Amino acid sequence: MRPPGNVPDERFQLFQRKGSAKWQIRFSIRGQGQLKRSLDTDDLREAQRRAEAIWYEATYRAQQGLTARAHTFESVAEEYIAQILREVERGERRADQGKSEPAVIRRYFVGYFGQKPVDAVSEADLERYAEWRRTYWTEGPGKLVTHIEYERGGHRLRRPVRRSAPSLSRQRGELVVLRQLLRWASRQGYLKTPPEVTIKARRTPDNRRPSFEPHEFAHLQNVSLGRLVDPIMDGSGAMVEASDKRRWRIKRLDDHTRRDRTLLHAYVMIGAFSGLRPTEMYNLTWGDVLGYRAGRGKPVDQRDIRLQVRGKGKSGKAIPQKAAILWFDTLWMLFERSMGREPVDTDPVFASEQGKRITSVANGFTELLKAAGLERDHRGIKRTPYSLRHFYISEQLANGSEVLDVARNCRTSLAMIDKHYGQVRLERVVDRLRPDWTRR
């Protein structure tokens, strides 16, 4: 080790390691010990210039309460991950956080900031990061990734990549993790004040599921009933042209078409009067319609049913409106006519002519909507069978049902009710918005 020539003071020392012509610097910071760095030059004058800059920077950082040496974002992120895993082991964090948060940190945060000094991350950097994250799987590094591997129950699994921007809730969740990381780094002395993570996550378009206004549903109901009538009655039958150019109008419905339309009408009415999800309706068996057999043959006002439902990973009981009972009678009758026997508990409620479970009415429902001129709502969004559930919940709220009761009966959360189903037009609750206190 060879010391340099004249050194202006003892703020730092320059030296060369044995066998190397490159100059090194060493100096001490109170409370942080000795620091050594290579100056990457064999020119003494240039080494002194670089040494001055390094010493001044380290001294300034120490005066500001920071570590004398700048730390890369990646190294700080790995330290933070180690802290997360220690907290999981001590039971201070949920176990799933020990898997999900390190994955997010390494893939996105380190993937973007990498070797950048953590104390050099600015709010402008965070803005640019947010845009990079939104396009990660479509235009960024993720476009080359074919699948994602993960562990569940001790098994290594893989899933395909979803080529889309992250949802609004996911963006917000990841920003929470990034904010926690930067605050932790600040407490460790790696940066003075963490940049404010106030990135405005782009709002997604209004994707609330389209519903029906009461007058629209009444029109849909009338059109659906009208489609059960033979076309000869109103002259609405479609024109048919044969290969020999002969043309005529269909005057009667064939039995298959009439049955399909009757089943569809029952589906519409049960969906609108129960609020069941489409999957829950398709999964219904006659054993799930609790109390139905005991009430057969009685007047409707003396009958009552409950629905044991399952679907979308959830299950529970639902209390439908009594108006739905008549349409279960219709489905029972259709099954008897097709199969020549009463349905047993394991038979599906929505069954084909062969007694098999129907798994979708989407096409028939779309044709009905087109016939009624109700295919899209006022925003131009296409209605689906799910719109019947939205109609049920909106009507329950508009007519005074408690939000909590509706949420429980529909197996959903208060937040989801507010987000997707609570947008009842003000004109329909005007009386509730004008209580008597103004006239006292």
Side-chain angles (χ1 to χ4, degrees), residues 78-102 106:
E78 289 299 330
E79 285 188 44
Y80 182 62
I81 289 173
Q83 177 68 22
I84 290 174
L85 297 179
R86 286 192 293 270
E87 292 175 359
V88 169
E89 187 175 353
R90 294 195 296 261
E92 298 170 2
R93 284 179 181 260
R94 301 192 312 272
D96 63 286
Q97 290 179 296
K99 296 179 180 179
S100 61
E101 292 189 6
R106 289 183 175 125

Side-chain angles (χ1 to χ4, degrees), residues 279-341:
T279 302
E280 293 172 339
M281 294 178 70
Y282 301 139
N283 287 341
L284 279 179
T285 64
W286 285 104
D288 296 325
V289 188
L290 309 179
Y292 177 79
R293 290 181 187 275
R296 279 186 58 75
K298 297 180 181 180
V300 173
D301 60 355
Q302 297 178 21
R303 301 169 66 185
D304 201 0
I305 61 173
R306 301 289 185 269
L307 303 177
Q308 186 70 49
V309 300
R310 54 196 174 278
K312 199 182 176 182
K314 302 176 182 180
S315 61
K317 284 186 180 179
I319 302 176
Q321 297 284 359
K322 283 197 171 186
I325 296 176
L326 290 174
W327 301 105
F328 281 99
D329 290 343
T330 298
L331 295 173
W332 182 283
M333 175 197 69
L334 290 179
F335 190 96
E336 284 185 318
R337 287 183 179 179
S338 297
M339 304 302 295
R341 62 174 176 83

Side-chain angles (χ1 to χ4, degrees), residues 211-221 391 395 398-399 428:
S211 179
F212 300 96
E213 289 297 310
H215 70 276
E216 292 176 323
F217 184 77
H219 177 60
L220 180 72
Q221 182 178 355
F391 173 74
E395 285 303 294
N399 286 278
R428 294 171 57 194

Side-chain angles (χ1 to χ4, degrees), residues 21 44 52 78 82 89 145 202 244 257 262-263 288 301 305 325 328 330 335 357 359 375-376 383 400 402 421 425:
L44 178 57
E52 289 277 351
E78 289 299 330
E89 187 175 353
V145 179
R202 305 296 192 270
D244 59 1
T257 300
T262 303
L263 184 142
D288 296 325
D301 60 355
I305 61 173
I325 296 176
F328 281 99
T330 298
F335 190 96
R357 187 182 307 277
T359 57
E375 189 177 8
R376 297 181 182 275
R383 290 185 169 102
E402 291 292 336
Y421 306 111
R425 289 192 176 180

Side-chain angles (χ1 to χ4, degrees), residues 37-139:
R37 281 184 61 179
S38 172
L39 299 173
D40 291 324
T41 181
D42 56 7
D43 181 81
L44 178 57
R45 187 178 298 277
E46 177 63 17
Q48 289 175 334
R49 188 188 67 78
R50 294 182 184 182
E52 289 277 351
I54 291 173
W55 184 85
Y56 277 117
E57 180 187 2
T59 303
Y60 174 79
R61 290 176 59 85
Q63 290 172 347
Q64 299 300 311
L66 302 173
T67 56
R69 178 181 298 171
H71 293 258
T72 66
F73 188 96
E74 182 176 14
S75 65
V76 173
E78 289 299 330
E79 285 188 44
Y80 182 62
I81 289 173
Q83 177 68 22
I84 290 174
L85 297 179
R86 286 192 293 270
E87 292 175 359
V88 169
E89 187 175 353
R90 294 195 296 261
E92 298 170 2
R93 284 179 181 260
R94 301 192 312 272
D96 63 286
Q97 290 179 296
K99 296 179 180 179
S100 61
E101 292 189 6
V104 167
I105 292 169
R106 289 183 175 125
R107 182 181 295 277
Y108 302 121
F109 305 163
V110 174
Y112 184 81
F113 297 107
Q115 296 301 305
K116 186 181 184 72
V118 70
D119 59 343
V121 175
S122 65
E123 291 184 18
D125 292 324
L126 294 176
E127 285 282 359
R128 286 188 285 269
Y129 162 77
E131 182 59 29
W132 175 87
R133 172 64 184 94
R134 292 186 190 102
T135 60
Y136 181 90
W137 294 107
T138 56
E139 302 173 16

Side-chain angles (χ1 to χ4, degrees), residues 258-278:
R258 193 189 307 277
R259 185 189 189 283
D260 283 353
R261 291 183 179 182
T262 303
L263 184 142
L264 177 62
H265 186 79
Y267 179 97
V268 169
M269 303 306 289
I270 291 173
F273 293 145
S274 70
L276 266 61
R277 298 180 176 90

